Structure formats: C-alpha cells, structure tokens
Amino acid sequence: MTRNPIAANLRLDIEDFSYAPFEQEGGLGKVHQLFGAELPGVIETLNRELAA
C-alpha cells in the first residue's frame, strides 16, 4: 500500500493514510491505533531509509 504514495512523492506522509488504499483498511485512525505516539518516528525512519 505504501508503493504509490512513495513513488509519487518519494516519501510517505501522515496525510497519505487518509487516502486509498489506506482508507479501505482503517485509514489514519487505524495507523494511530497501531503505532500511537511512535507514528511520526516510524514515518521519519521509513523516509530516511527510502532516501538512502
């Protein structure tokens, strides 16, 4: 599910979870439920590794 936002923007942003295909799996609410306060750090790490 992360392929399209990453391919389009070369990064993943929290807002991306509000759109398809993420919204079909619970969207931003589900991501916050799963990662909680760690979400910004997880996204930052993903983006840093993608850029490397």
Side-chain angles (χ1 to χ4, degrees):
M1 286 190 287
T2 60
R3 179 186 56 199
N4 290 341
I6 291 169
N9 302 315
L10 300 177
R11 62 179 289 114
L12 186 64
D13 294 311
I14 290 177
E15 295 82 25
D16 290 328
F17 293 101
S18 298
Y19 305 109
F22 300 108
E23 67 179 341
Q24 298 162 342
E25 299 294 330
L28 188 55
K30 182 67 172 185
V31 171
H32 276 292
Q33 180 185 17
L34 293 170
F35 293 100
E38 294 180 29
L39 181 59
V42 170
I43 292 175
E44 181 181 329
T45 300
L46 280 170
N47 287 333
R48 183 176 55 247
E49 293 300 319
L50 290 168

